[in-house]
Amino acid sequence: MRKQLLIACLLLLSICSYAQQITIKGIVTSATDKEPLIGATVQVKGTGSGTITGINGDYSLSNVEKNAVLVFSSIGFESQEIAVGSQTTINVVLKEATELLDEVVVIGYGAVKKSDLTSSIATVKGEEITETVTGNAMDALQGKVNGVQVTSGGGPGASPKVLIRGVTTANGTNPLYVVDGMPVGDNINFLNSNDIASMEVLKDASAAAIYGTRASNGVILITTKKGKTGKARINWTTSVGFQTVAKPDIAGPAEYKEVFNTRYTNDNAGSIWKDNGATTNPGGTDWWDTVVNKTALVQNHSLSVAGGSEQFVYNFSVGYYRNNSQFDVGYWDKINIRLNTEYTFNKYVKLGVDIAPRVESWDDTPNVFSAAMAMDPTTPVFRPQDQWEDNEFNNYQRSYNNQEWNPAGTVARQNAHSREMGAILNTYLQVNPIEKLTLRTQFGANAHYRRSDTFIPEFSMDPLEQQTLSEITRRNQEWFDWNWTNTATYMDTFAGKHNLNVMAGFTAERFAWYNTQARRDNVPNNLDQMQEVNAGQQGTDEANGETTYNTLVSFLGRVMYNYDNRYYISASLRADGSSRFPKGNKYALFPSVSASWRVISEGFMQDQEIFSDLKLRGGWGRVGNQSIDNNATLTLLSETQYYFGNTLTNGYYVSTVGNKELKWETVEDWNVGVDMSFLNSRLGVTFEYFQKKSMDMLYQKQNILALGYNNWNSQIWMNIGSMQARGWELGLTWRDEIGKDFSYDLGLNLSAVRNKAIKFSGDGPMSVGGFNSDQIIRNEDGGLISRFYGYVADGLFQNWEEVYAHTDEHGTKIQPDAKPGDIRFKDLDHNGVLDANDKAYIGNPYPDLMMGLNIGMRYKNIDFAANFYGTFGNDIYNITKGRYSGAGGQNVWAGTLEKAWHGEGTSNDIPRLSSNDLNLNYNRVSSFYVEDGSYMRCKLLQIGYTLPKKWVGGADLRLSFSAQNPFTITGYSGMDPERPMVDGTTDQSGSAINTGIDNVAYPNPRTFLFGIDFKF
């Protein structure tokens, strides 16, 4: 009996003991940014039992006794011990031991701790982006990331030009954008900046090779805001203000008239001045004030709600942004809605569904800045009222003394509008079938539709300023892209020191574009109701349409390993197949490898007091470029008409020459770097050196006539050439606190890159940038790209003696048409003749140094931010300097009479005024137009005040005032030293081999905003 009772007691104790063992789960996050910590260790104190957190910071630990104590730890964080007790869910927030190693960094198809990085990846948090109110988040990135050159677009809806670590191709420079794991192309105008949680810039190939297909220009990963467990949090932000553009100093009517007449007097010719304005417009017209508004409205509003339970989290947001142009017409606005949801069924299965519909609309902005500067200021805006006609566009006055079109009339006739509707749907299913293994499938679709309407009215102001037939055009475009990504990720720690992360995956993508356009002429009148294609009554009906698509299939894999958080190595391989390439060349491999050594973790570093952190790293990789036409391999025919005798007959001709031998363009790069911190992590230093080199560069060259195709003007895609970018980056940060109320941080970014053309088309130098039947820019093998090439100006002839002294060895004048006050051009080959052999490289538009300076300060409830960005050592070809000439009767810069040469010693820069310019002072490409384009611009000044919570019922209410682009320090005489880095003619991102020319594009405006940020 006693034996049986003893057995029963032992069995009861065993059952009780078993009942004491439970399963603990939870999430480990960072105290500062609430982001999940990946790879954090969760260990039962005093035992060898434990686990590490997954990619969402989650963990699960089985068979834990209720009296156990869990130890949570992660590199760069203070350890935390928590008694289990009766808890089954333990969420832990770890406090950072340093602020340099705590961040979770998104990488391609995964995430790691910043301390574990082996590649060159820069992170910008969402709050840094939203400091600047802009329609495109990349504008806010300017000066914040080393090695990334961002040139703002200027006008409403214009996209900034983004250049990551220089130029290695003539075939586009835009990076690839990936939003929440879905590639979305090379433009993120559609995205609401307030929805961004973080942005990672993959700068080297060892980081970007996992996106091999389109990663040659770098990759930017964007993570949008997600929901978090807890009560609903509502955030409302709004900013309203205005933009203004600095008015250039242009001559008034009196000086304009005197300059006009002096040009003829200096040439001993009779002036053709028309003094009509003396009676019809005695006060003159300030054309700038007439067509350019002093202010333009800009506003940005966003409302978000986020929250959830342990099973379901959500983030819902709606945003509205509008930016008016500086003219009476022209704007861009967008409405964004985003719903990000995530449902956790159990510890094995998780589902996420994100949907982001949007509506964009814009009126095209007229580009009449140059016309407003050139227009005759004696001419009135309108003709006398007794000459007015029913057609309102006929009532504008034709210029009296030049051929410039009336800019006020141009603005009034502007009538082009587009509206785009679209949505991105992104869903994923994540399964953890066993501990440490994550299977994920993600499908995303990006669909958008755009309708564009353009109406050009009929008008007649003069035979040289008229539109004989009105035109109406409607264009419909549809895009539908989808992406399917499947990955398997395994993370584990062996023997407490061997950390492994293995990922393998497969992706498929398809991109489709549908285009239809219709046009007719001679709409009966200008009424809005008549602006339909069907209303056109004359001219040949024009309709065209096309459908294009391309596909990608990819296989990818990556292995990341570190030993004892000291020695790290990562290797990846991606195999890409593209429908754009012919059979046999469709696939290409893009490998990468990188490694790092956390020296600070070594035993011999533990007793030193100099370094708070020290890590060495290096990487190598290859990425690809497939930016060619979908039909680049096809030879196509187009319809045309031929005359056979006197008979016009329909026929066909070869319009596109295909190349069946095309293959991938490849960029190979290597990168070495060192990350250091000192003084208890208050001072951070990062230095990197890199080189990028392209091979088999894709390039459109002129059709080879020997092929037998008679269309001499067509181009053919070929793998020709190679380019190289080499440079360095230095980043310095300082973070400190003074007392308990004041803290501040400083960041300085310095970088330099040299862009070299190793080989271009093989047809000799490539010249671009047309100017008076010549070209401004010359690219040739072995030289730096996009350099200006022309004659060398050597001051002005001050007297006849200098003119006669500029001769060859036989006493023949080198410039026979020159007079005192004309430009002296150098005879570089000393043959006594000024010709093309005397041209030389006269400027380089790419800077020797780029700098970003970011300052943040906080005192109690007051915060202050200041951001600066500048480039140094770059040149600009300033075509607007030709405005001193008054050529063709155009208006001139104010002060031209004094600045232009008008006697010996009066000027050695601005030539004499002349009506015929026989010496070609202004009509040849020369160093006269080249100026130092260095500048330092204040991008942002912002001050904010957060009201005490007791004033607003426990909520967070912050008021702010900011000034964007308030001032610029530069010696450049043009309107904006930043804008020439994009194509001034089209006001869009310019070619990397055709840049740096100032054609008076839309300048970057000053913006002043009042903001409210309310969280409750």
Side-chain angles (χ1 to χ4, degrees), residues 254-370:
E255 183 177 10
Y256 170 72
K257 177 180 178 180
E258 191 170 354
V259 169
F260 191 102
N261 290 326
T262 302
R263 292 170 56 241
Y264 289 89
T265 301
N266 288 347
D267 292 340
N268 298 316
S271 175
I272 59 173
W273 173 260
K274 297 176 183 178
D275 209 18
N276 306 56
T279 55
T280 62
N281 192 33
T285 301
D286 187 325
W287 286 101
W288 187 273
D289 286 349
T290 298
V291 299
V292 181
N293 296 326
K294 287 183 170 58
T295 61
L297 176 68
V298 59
Q299 54 183 314
N300 187 41
H301 312 280
S302 182
L303 176 67
S304 66
V305 183
S309 62
E310 292 184 3
Q311 286 75 38
F312 178 74
V313 293
Y314 63 89
N315 186 301
F316 172 79
S317 69
V318 57
Y320 175 73
Y321 176 86
R322 182 181 177 101
N323 185 187
N324 289 354
S325 80
Q326 297 294 144
F327 306 100
D328 288 339
V329 296
Y331 76 91
W332 174 48
D333 71 3
K334 58 180 179 177
I335 299 174
N336 295 86
I337 298 175
R338 179 175 289 274
L339 176 61
N340 291 349
T341 61
E342 186 175 81
Y343 187 82
T344 302
F345 293 91
N346 49 49
K347 67 178 182 179
Y348 302 107
V349 181
K350 184 182 296 183
L351 173 69
V353 178
D354 302 341
I355 184 169
R358 66 186 186 273
V359 177
E360 291 183 67
S361 60
W362 58 91
D363 278 344
D364 289 357
T365 299
N367 187 3
V368 296
F369 288 110
S370 180

Side-chain angles (χ1 to χ4, degrees), residues 103-106 114 121-131 137-138 140-146 148 196-201 220-223 749 854:
E103 299 176 5
V104 173
V105 178
V106 176
K114 185 174 182 179
I121 300 178
T123 299
V124 180
K125 294 298 183 181
E127 53 266 25
E128 297 179 72
I129 296 171
T130 53
E131 284 180 342
M138 295 310 300
L141 207 65
Q142 194 176 52
K144 288 185 170 66
V145 179
N146 232 335
V148 179
I196 297 176
S198 69
M199 188 180 291
E200 273 78 21
V201 182
I220 296 180
L221 307 181
I222 297 172
T223 303
N749 297 323
N854 304 290

Side-chain angles (χ1 to χ4, degrees), residues 938-1009:
C938 178
K939 299 299 299 182
L940 175 70
L941 289 177
Q942 185 181 87
I943 187 168
Y945 178 71
T946 302
L947 276 65
K949 289 190 175 183
K950 62 182 180 180
W951 293 5
V952 287
D956 293 322
L957 177 59
R958 177 177 177 269
L959 307 178
S960 65
F961 176 79
S962 62
Q964 297 174 193
N965 302 323
F967 64 87
T968 303
I969 302 172
T970 183
Y972 179 61
S973 67
M975 288 184 63
D976 187 350
E978 184 176 345
R979 292 295 287 115
M981 289 307 294
V982 296
D983 186 347
T985 302
T986 62
D987 204 26
Q988 296 293 328
S989 298
S991 167
I993 60 173
N994 182 9
T995 191
I997 302 173
D998 190 347
N999 279 313
V1000 193
Y1002 201 117
N1004 283 289
R1006 296 183 179 94
T1007 305
F1008 302 92
L1009 295 157

